[in-house]
Amino acid sequence: MTHVTRGQHGGKSGPLGAARRRGRGRWFALTPALAATLVVACVPAAYAAAPPAPPAPAASAQGAGDGLDRFHRQRLDWGSCVKGPDDTAGRDLDRAGVSCADVTVPLDYADPRGRTISVAVSRLKATDTRRRIGAVLLNNGGPGGTAVESPPHIRKAMKEVGARYDIVGFDPRFVGRSTPLDCGWPVGTAWFSAGSGRAGFDRQVALQRDLAGKCRTAGAPVLPHISTRNTARDMDVIRGALGERKISYLGYSYGTYLGTVYTQMFPGRHDRVVLDGAVTPGDYKARLMQGAEPENERALSDWAAWAAGRHDVHGLGRTRAEVLATVEGIVAASARGPLTVGAAPDVFRLDDTQVPLILFMGIADDTDRARTALAEQMSVLAKAAQGRPAPLSPDFAQLLRYALTGEQAATGGVQAAVICGDVGAPRDPEVYWRDIERSRAAHPLFGPFTNNINPCTFWDRPREELTRVRRDAAVLIVAATGDPRTTYRSSVGLHALLPSSKLVTLENANRHGLYGEYGNACVDDEVNAYLATGRLPEEDRTCAAASPPSSSPSSSD
């Protein structure tokens, strides 16, 4: 049974715990996509090979001046969300009563009279107008995730209080329905493992250099202006264009970093802020998952215990140890030669730089549905490792098309553009190789993944320094103790930096993204009470998962 305890975490930081698609751009949590997120206090010396260009000026304190008045005061042309004859998502939004518009923003906030771009927004207006609270802006993470399609889903999650808000989704600059950027990548993501040896790493160096080069070729004029700080500036233009003095905000994963940046850049312009799966300064870096190996290993181990209880269905092993041995065998086989899965036209060959990505994407959700999907995928790969025919389900084929082909290349390119536009990375590939080799003893599966090279190695230096948390903000942070993406340790760290914040902890869940997603009534009720009243709980709260991840008695060994 779900319950809440009061004051268990005490103080302002709490304990240092263990540590859908639906269009969401969650940090490696989507189906079939992935994502990332955070904020750093300073750039380590290893990242300081080249000085950044002078920072662009922030928008004025009142949303005017510096040539920005016309952007904040623009009239939005609300209308149909349908963009073309094949736009089923737009038709669904129209049927749900959502209106769409484009907000004009400067490409370069240092030159507001220069080129402009559009940011797509959607709005589901409040129906309880007498008790209307205001507008709440949504970000689903990524970076690179869309939110234009999200207002109906969030209205449902908000229950009664949803009728009192204008619920506003937006696609950040160069994402989705906004002015687009497509780097023309041959893959949908840049985040792969280095594999088991130097040959795999060298292939990764070549791939990541090529991915960065393709973005430079496709988007050289705009890449310097793709960053979290500029997205936060766009958010403030949206606020002004909506006619709101303050705006509320709901952000997941990377969206928690974006929300934190907004509170720092535009103090006094935010009302109720919910950060779900939050991150702290020091964790936002080019290698986003570096340091989260223990949480991912724990999530994989818990999944293995679950799968062991279902050996008769999936055939992966009757104990946790046997299932983990099956996984290790799959990775080892993919190192000896790529595993062939599927049938024409969907045939894929996965090596040891790619198999860990499939595992990584599959363990950020401990619901039976998600765990079943991962078990089915591992069963397919186990057959391929034995040289047997390995047919694919439609969902697994879709995931592989996303990750290993250019079908959704725009998502990966924009994600890299934001991350690399925010924070610099070591320029020498040997730095990564040394870190990978050091990580293998303790983290043989995930170490080569989290420490691997990525496009930021070959990117131009960021134009602005990273945002530092210098101001307190009374926000509500939501976190699961077993989150393998934005770790619980990271959420606790942000809570400590924002003394007026409160933390809602969900115990015993390996899950990334909770509110309105996981089905935990305790978490949802805490968030909705805050959105309804504007009052944070007096003390940090702890919720329990409805039941611990299920497994058979014999599966834990």
Side-chain angles (χ1 to χ4, degrees):
M1 179 177 179
T2 304
H3 71 278
V4 59
T5 59
R6 301 175 183 270
Q8 181 167 328
H9 291 291
K12 62 183 182 182
S13 64
L16 289 174
R20 91 194 207 256
R21 186 163 171 237
R22 235 187 291 251
R24 294 219 177 315
R26 299 291 167 69
W27 196 1
F28 294 101
L30 33 166
T31 310
L34 73 154
T37 170
L38 324 297
V39 61
V40 136
C42 61
V43 179
Y47 294 174
S60 78
Q62 299 302 318
D66 295 328
L68 296 176
D69 307 58
R70 67 187 179 101
F71 298 103
H72 285 267
R73 296 172 182 171
Q74 65 185 288
R75 292 179 61 87
L76 300 184
D77 184 17
W78 294 102
S80 172
C81 296
V82 177
K83 293 292 187 180
D86 299 326
D87 187 5
T88 56
R91 286 196 292 273
D92 288 344
L93 289 171
D94 282 0
R95 283 193 289 267
V98 177
S99 299
C100 291
D102 290 322
V103 178
T104 301
V105 299
L107 171 66
D108 181 357
Y109 276 85
D111 182 20
R113 289 182 171 81
R115 176 181 169 183
T116 62
I117 58 174
S118 66
V119 173
V121 296
S122 62
R123 181 177 64 181
L124 187 57
K125 295 194 72 174
T127 55
D128 187 353
T129 55
R130 186 176 62 84
R131 298 191 300 159
R132 181 181 181 273
I133 294 170
V136 57
L137 194 61
L138 313 177
N139 184 274
N140 290 320
T146 67
V148 160
E149 77 291 346
S150 295
H153 174 67
I154 296 301
R155 169 66 59 84
K156 182 179 179 181
M158 292 173 73
K159 299 179 181 176
E160 293 83 2
V161 72
R164 301 175 62 192
Y165 280 92
D166 288 353
I167 304 175
V168 180
F170 79 108
D171 289 354
R173 51 175 52 203
F174 301 105
V175 169
R177 295 168 182 252
S178 298
T179 298
L181 170 67
D182 188 342
C183 293
W185 281 8
V187 291
T189 176
W191 314 104
F192 296 102
S193 175
S196 60
R198 182 72 196 208
F201 175 72
D202 288 342
R203 291 196 303 272
Q204 283 294 304
V205 173
L207 171 65
Q208 304 299 340
R209 181 183 286 111
D210 179 62
L211 297 180
K214 287 183 183 300
C215 278
R216 190 173 295 109
T217 298
V222 302
L223 288 184
H225 310 293
I226 303 177
S227 68
T228 298
R229 289 179 66 84
N230 277 335
T231 299
R233 293 177 178 118
D234 294 344
M235 286 170 53
D236 203 55
V237 170
I238 293 171
R239 176 199 60 78
L242 291 173
E244 301 289 341
R245 186 175 64 87
K246 293 184 177 183
I247 197 161
S248 295
Y249 179 79
L250 168 62
Y252 296 87
S253 191
Y254 162 81
T256 68
Y257 172 48
L258 175 61
T260 300
V261 170
Y262 186 81
T263 68
Q264 301 305 300
M265 292 180 67
F266 301 99
R269 297 194 210 170
H270 54 86
D271 186 10
R272 300 160 202 196
V273 175
V274 179
L275 306 179
D276 189 323
V279 292
T280 190
D283 287 343
Y284 190 49
K285 48 200 171 187
R287 290 181 281 182
L288 289 158
M289 297 311 305
Q290 194 177 42
E293 298 86 0
E295 286 80 6
N296 282 277
E297 289 163 351
R298 187 174 301 112
L300 179 62
S301 179
D302 288 347
W303 167 81
W306 177 94
R310 292 152 183 82
H311 173 75
D312 291 343
V313 177
H314 303 295
L316 297 174
R318 296 190 179 280
T319 67
R320 184 199 314 257
E322 288 180 0
V323 174
L324 292 174
T326 298
V327 170
E328 292 170 4
I330 292 169
V331 176
S334 70
R336 294 190 295 269
L339 308 180
T340 301
V341 298
D346 288 322
V347 178
F348 303 93
R349 290 167 58 82
L350 289 80
D351 64 21
D352 58 337
T353 69
Q354 298 158 338
V355 171
L357 171 64
I358 306 304
L359 287 161
F360 187 76
M361 287 194 289
I363 58 174
D365 186 347
D366 63 7
T367 61
D368 278 352
R369 180 178 178 180
R371 285 179 159 176
T372 297
L374 181 57
E376 291 172 350
Q377 293 162 14
M378 290 300 106
S379 294
V380 169
L381 295 181
K383 292 174 183 175
Q386 297 165 2
R388 297 162 54 194
L392 297 173
S393 68
D395 286 345
F396 195 14
Q398 183 187 21
L399 184 148
L400 293 176
R401 284 196 301 272
Y402 161 73
L404 305 180
T405 76
E407 185 176 280
Q408 296 186 44
T411 300
V414 174
Q415 182 178 73
V418 176
I419 297 166
C420 304
D422 282 342
V423 58
R427 313 297 281 184
D428 183 0
E430 296 306 314
V431 171
Y432 300 87
W433 178 245
R434 288 193 293 269
D435 289 346
I436 290 163
E437 289 293 276
R438 278 194 292 264
S439 73
R440 290 190 193 275
H443 309 292
L445 176 60
F446 289 119
F449 183 93
T450 61
N451 289 281
N452 196 25
I453 197 167
N454 61 64
C456 300
T457 307
F458 308 103
W459 218 266
D460 292 342
R461 289 294 173 182
R463 284 201 165 191
E464 296 189 73
E465 297 288 343
L466 283 160
T467 303
R468 304 186 183 193
V469 176
R470 301 182 184 277
R471 298 181 176 90
D472 191 12
V475 307
L476 185 65
I477 299 171
V478 178
T481 55
D483 188 337
R485 296 296 168 268
T486 52
T487 67
Y488 184 65
R489 290 178 288 109
S490 207
S491 292
V492 169
L494 181 62
H495 181 34
L497 286 175
L498 301 174
S500 295
S501 68
K502 289 295 183 288
L503 176 64
V504 176
T505 297
L506 179 64
E507 292 187 322
N508 302 319
N510 300 324
R511 168 71 188 207
H512 184 56
L514 298 175
Y515 171 68
E517 297 284 332
Y518 194 55
N520 185 274
C522 174
V523 169
D524 291 353
D525 289 349
E526 289 291 336
V527 173
N528 285 335
Y530 168 58
L531 292 174
T533 65
R535 295 190 297 273
L536 290 166
E538 293 183 3
E539 298 174 310
D540 292 342
R541 305 291 175 87
T542 299
C543 297
S547 61
S550 54
S551 61
S552 70
S554 63
S555 67
S556 60
D557 296 328

